[in-house]
Amino acid sequence: MAELASAVSNAGGLGILTALTQKTPDDLAAEIERCHTMTDKPFGVNLTFLPSVNPPDYAGYIRAIIDGGVKVVETAGNNPQKWLPMLEDAGITVIHKCTAVRHALKAEAVGCDAVSVDGFECGGHPGEDDVPNMILLPRAADTLSIPFVASGGMADGRSLAAALALGADGINLGTRFIATAEAPVHPAVKQAILDATELDTRLVMRPLRNTERVLNNAGVQRLLQKEHKLGEDIAFEDIVEDVAGMYPRVMVNGEMDAGPWSCGMVAGLINDVPTCKELIDRIVSEPCSLIRQRLVTLTA
């Protein structure tokens, strides 16, 4: 939403709106305009391409992005190749989110400008390979020619220093920004992240090869029990009532046991709710102190 995206951009990061949070392209156009009124800094839009019987109006969403003067798009999900010409013709930089090096190489080959490499630690969809960032990031650095940012487990300046050391060009934070003052979510959501440890996430929809990392709660336990009971015979139709429509119930209404919502293992590293500026200032300043006070002494 514009509140968070604008706050991140105003603080020196690249805030990202989520296109499919908006029900129609017109709604996205209005949210982009609202974000422009809240920041004069660049911000981007995430556009996730999902397999669907009735797919969203992707062409309409892209037109709203172009007409709204957005210059960075983060794509995710299916291969974005079909839509790249429209984005490229508008001078938009495309960053594709990938959970495997082979996917990143494909994104590079079809013309994406950069990629976001997501390790197994990440909230949301970590893919099916289960490779953590200590392996995935240097593999990406050894293989890719285009820039990439590290996603999954990113929380602070230590994360940035580590990601840079492993070959990434920056970091991408999701769960950490939910626990900020400007994030327009129910206070119970922020408190749940503060209370969680690195042991409190679960993987759901794994039998459907649509794995999602979520914060554990009673609704998640009900879903996991159903998955276990149905086994290999499970179909999405069997769990749709357990997963559909959860974000408004959780994020807006604060129904914390309603069902699954994306959350990374990084919750175990989140202990406060700063402003976006406070968070980004810390992330930028901490690596310098870390390198001077700790790493340099190791080489002395």
Side-chain angles (χ1 to χ4, degrees):
M1 306 295 285
E3 289 84 357
L4 183 56
S6 63
V8 172
S9 290
N10 284 332
L14 180 70
I16 304 286
L17 295 173
T18 311
L20 298 186
T21 301
Q22 308 300 321
K23 293 182 179 180
T24 70
D26 286 343
D27 291 334
L28 176 60
E31 192 70 7
I32 290 171
E33 180 56 33
R34 197 164 72 91
C35 200
H36 277 303
T37 68
M38 301 169 76
T39 182
D40 59 0
K41 302 294 194 296
F43 61 88
V45 173
N46 169 284
L47 187 55
T48 299
F49 299 106
L50 300 170
S52 174
V53 176
N54 298 302
D57 180 8
Y58 287 120
Y61 281 110
I62 291 174
R63 179 51 55 193
I65 290 168
I66 294 170
D67 292 346
V70 174
K71 291 303 180 184
V72 179
V73 166
E74 178 191 59
T75 56
N78 287 348
N79 189 330
Q81 183 174 10
K82 174 181 176 181
W83 306 104
L84 289 181
M86 289 180 66
L87 296 168
E88 291 170 351
D89 288 347
I92 292 174
T93 296
V94 177
I95 306 169
H96 188 61
K97 186 172 286 189
C98 306
T99 60
V101 171
R102 64 184 182 280
H103 299 156
L105 286 170
K106 181 65 174 179
E108 179 180 77
V110 302
C112 292
D113 300 289
V115 291
S116 174
V117 176
D118 282 23
F120 185 53
E121 308 93 326
C122 73
H125 297 280
E128 308 301 324
D129 292 343
D130 302 358
V131 180
N133 268 328
M134 285 294 288
I135 307 300
L136 191 59
L137 298 180
R139 278 280 291 116
D142 288 344
T143 308
L144 294 171
S145 299
I146 56 175
F148 71 96
V149 294
S151 302
M154 302 297 137
D156 52 31
R158 294 173 298 180
S159 307
L160 177 57
L164 294 174
L166 292 171
D169 297 285
I171 59 175
N172 185 17
L173 300 93
T175 303
R176 172 67 268 200
F177 274 119
I178 299 176
T180 55
E182 295 93 340
V185 301
H186 196 282
V189 174
K190 300 180 187 183
Q191 189 60 50
I193 293 173
L194 293 181
D195 293 340
T197 76
E198 67 276 12
L199 303 177
D200 289 324
T201 67
R202 298 292 183 270
L203 299 173
V204 299
M205 296 190 288
R206 176 135 278 199
L208 297 170
R209 295 190 61 79
N210 188 34
T211 302
E212 182 178 5
R213 186 179 297 282
V214 300
L215 192 67
N216 192 25
N217 60 38
V220 169
Q221 286 302 308
R222 290 192 297 270
L223 173 57
L224 290 172
Q225 289 169 11
K226 182 179 287 188
E227 290 180 356
H228 179 72
K229 180 180 179 180
L230 294 174
E232 295 182 359
D233 295 329
I234 195 170
F236 182 72
E237 291 74 17
D238 296 317
I239 63 168
V240 64
E241 64 182 17
D242 300 287
V243 299
M246 289 302 156
Y247 274 77
R249 293 180 61 184
V250 174
M251 296 294 179
V252 177
N253 301 335
E255 299 176 42
M256 300 312 298
D257 286 320
W261 56 281
S262 295
C263 181
M265 297 175 77
V266 73
L269 299 177
I270 298 173
N271 302 302
D272 63 353
V273 183
T275 66
C276 290
K277 185 177 189 313
E278 289 169 342
L279 176 60
I280 289 178
D281 284 350
R282 287 192 328 222
I283 290 173
V284 171
S285 64
E286 285 173 358
C288 296
S289 299
L290 177 65
I291 291 168
R292 284 196 298 264
Q293 296 173 17
R294 176 174 171 76
L295 299 185
V296 169
T297 62
L298 296 178
T299 64

